[in-house]
Amino acid sequence: MEPTRFAIKAERIIDGTGRPPIERGVVLVDGERITAVGREIDVRVPKDVEVVDCGAQTLLPGFVDAHSHASIVLGDQIGQLRQPPAPQILRSVQNLRADLRSGVTTMRVVGEEHFIDVDLRETIAAGRLPGPRLLVATRPITARNGHGAALTFSDGEEEIRRHIRENVARGADLIKLFMTGGVSSKGTAARWYAYTPHEVQVAVDEAHRNNKPVAVHGHGGPGVAICIDAGVDTIEHGKLCDLEDFVAMRKRGTWLVTNHAVSGHPDGIEKGDARVPSIMAKLRESRETSRRTFRLVLESGVKWALGTDSMHGLMWWEIAQVVEWGADAHDAILAATRRAAEAIGMGDEAGSLEPGKLADVISVDGDPLDDVRCLERVGVIFQGGRRRDTLSLQ
Ligand SMILES: [Zn+2]
């Protein structure tokens, strides 16, 4: 029998609550939950638990990737989504393994075709496939002429309602709607938008009546303002938003889920689509404005969280990038743990190391408040109280 009670010890714990690190700390795990967190001298460790001593490392909550996709790797994402299910599922198995290995224990999947994300979520939950615990959007709501249009299109009130209802019936945890253009599709400018205010309101009302949050692909321009007004829950990307947009989001309580490795990391769009001049031009514009826009995020006080958007295994890089752009390292870690969990509606279960929460615990080799890049060097991984770093995850 696999042991179910652990005492995980390390030089320090960053518990995801925002409190200062706990020096020489211990996390007690019983079954799938955390039962105690504190300094070793304050926590009584029962005799019959398995002790996992991480030495000079730092313990953190498992990362929560608030925006990614299971089947996609960079390069012609829409083409990948138009494939039959088998190649998509095969890529997903590899991608989700890489995500878990990098310390991501929970992930929100914001758009797949064929409902493969429902099957992946269930298979992972049953312990038959290594990967982050998933929340899934199933088929995105996107206009025929919109960004992200792969196999399923929703135009007008009737189709929007019908597809949201089908998604919910098939097991969607949230609804994803593509509002503005994007960086990775030809022909749709990032400020262009697909849906009328009425169509967006229909989508929000239908989703919320079914207790599903709405995540919107929105880079900037009037389309984002329409979505904030309609009461969507998260704006994804927001790379061309201005201060007014972020202030409006703060006032309304709308989350920003942002990501930068797709456009900033050398393995991102640059590698996949480097020969398509129209995409490269938009990518250059995106990089130049991303840094400036991120300053506005910090200035505005909007609630923000991080995702990798299919840059599997690069959650650490997302954190490092915003730290380079002026975010406080501890705050950036919270954007990838507790705040990301809150943004996706998992705040009561994941994102911090506190008694009663799911035992998602990782160790990293070093002190990330000293050198944030040590987040790349993940040691132990516990997910819901089960040890995952001992699985073959390569
Ligand atoms: Zn995405």
Side-chain angles (χ1 to χ4, degrees):
M1 264 269 290
E2 227 184 305
T4 60
R5 299 176 75 196
F6 296 94
I8 313 166
K9 298 179 176 181
E11 184 70 26
R12 72 192 67 72
I13 300 175
I14 296 172
D15 65 8
T17 65
R19 287 192 283 267
I22 300 164
E23 300 300 328
R24 294 188 186 271
V26 59
V27 177
L28 291 188
V29 175
D30 190 348
E32 64 174 5
R33 304 267 165 189
I34 294 168
T35 54
V37 183
R39 294 187 303 169
E40 261 190 74
I41 52 168
D42 297 330
V43 175
R44 198 185 64 81
V45 176
K47 284 202 167 55
D48 56 341
V49 302
E50 180 171 329
V51 175
V52 178
D53 193 342
C54 297
Q57 298 189 338
T58 302
L59 300 182
L60 298 154
F63 294 131
V64 177
D65 186 339
H67 178 128
S68 196
H69 305 266
S71 73
I72 296 175
V73 292
L74 262 288
D76 189 18
Q77 291 94 307
I78 301 300
Q80 294 176 51
L81 286 172
R82 286 182 181 148
Q83 290 177 331
Q88 301 204 34
I89 290 167
L90 291 170
R91 273 197 310 276
S92 299
V93 168
Q94 212 171 7
N95 291 342
L96 295 168
R97 194 179 281 261
D99 291 315
L100 180 60
R101 190 67 198 88
S102 72
V104 175
T105 47
T106 302
M107 175 188 283
R108 188 170 68 154
V109 175
V110 286
E112 297 288 344
E113 293 285 357
H114 309 294
F115 298 98
I116 63 164
D117 45 357
V118 174
D119 295 315
L120 292 164
R121 180 189 66 196
E122 299 308 311
T123 310
I124 289 169
R128 294 197 299 272
L129 177 72
R133 175 187 304 113
L134 300 184
L135 291 184
V136 304
T138 70
R139 304 172 312 181
I141 303 300
T142 185
R144 268 168 183 73
N145 56 337
H147 178 67
L151 296 175
T152 312
F153 317 108
S154 310
D155 290 322
E157 183 170 344
E158 288 310 309
E159 278 186 347
I160 290 170
R161 278 196 202 282
R162 184 163 68 244
H163 287 154
I164 290 176
R165 288 174 188 177
E166 277 178 25
N167 287 355
V168 171
R170 292 290 291 267
D173 298 302
L174 69 141
I175 299 302
K176 168 77 177 293
L177 181 139
F178 278 92
M179 185 57 165
T180 76
V183 175
S184 63
S185 66
K186 285 171 273 185
T188 58
R191 287 176 199 279
W192 170 89
Y193 63 96
Y195 285 122
T196 66
H198 177 69
E199 286 173 311
V200 176
Q201 197 62 63
V202 165
V204 171
D205 292 349
E206 190 62 37
H208 284 178
R209 198 161 42 73
N210 286 288
N211 286 323
K212 306 298 176 195
V214 180
V216 167
H217 169 102
H219 276 293
V224 167
I226 289 169
C227 290
I228 298 167
D229 280 350
V232 306
D233 299 272
T234 55
I235 297 289
E236 312 290 313
H237 313 302
K239 291 184 184 176
L240 302 172
C241 285
D242 54 26
L243 187 60
E244 210 179 306
D245 295 321
F246 292 136
V247 169
M249 289 168 68
R250 189 195 72 213
K251 288 182 176 160
R252 188 76 200 237
T254 318
W255 280 91
L256 173 72
V257 175
T258 190
N259 63 285
H260 299 99
V262 170
S263 51
H265 193 276
D267 289 341
I269 292 175
E270 184 180 329
K271 190 176 176 186
D273 287 316
R275 280 160 296 162
V276 183
S278 64
I279 291 178
M280 283 310 289
K282 280 202 276 187
L283 185 60
R284 272 192 298 276
E285 185 195 336
S286 166
R287 280 179 185 171
E288 282 162 25
T289 51
S290 282
R291 176 193 288 259
R292 188 174 49 78
T293 303
F294 187 72
R295 300 299 304 192
L296 302 178
V297 171
L298 296 181
E299 196 184 318
S300 68
V302 66
K303 298 183 291 183
W304 59 280
L306 291 170
T308 62
D309 201 6
S310 308
M311 296 299 286
H312 303 282
L314 288 182
M315 204 65 200
W316 71 272
W317 195 94
E318 295 287 350
I319 297 167
Q321 176 67 92
V322 293
V323 170
E324 194 187 311
W325 287 346
D328 169 73
H330 197 163
D331 193 50
I333 289 169
L334 296 182
T337 53
R338 192 198 70 206
R339 285 213 303 278
E342 281 176 21
I344 68 171
M346 291 275 294
D348 292 340
E349 289 284 83
S352 62
L353 303 177
E354 294 178 273
K357 284 208 173 179
L358 290 167
D360 295 344
V361 188
I362 64 171
S363 73
V364 297
D365 182 19
D367 179 359
L369 301 187
D370 207 36
D371 174 17
V372 76
R373 299 181 76 87
C374 79
L375 295 171
E376 186 184 7
R377 301 190 299 272
V378 174
V380 303
I381 302 166
F382 282 83
Q383 183 188 36
R386 302 183 80 120
R387 201 159 171 183
R388 297 304 196 195
D389 54 295
T390 50
L391 299 171
S392 165
L393 293 175
Q394 294 309 310

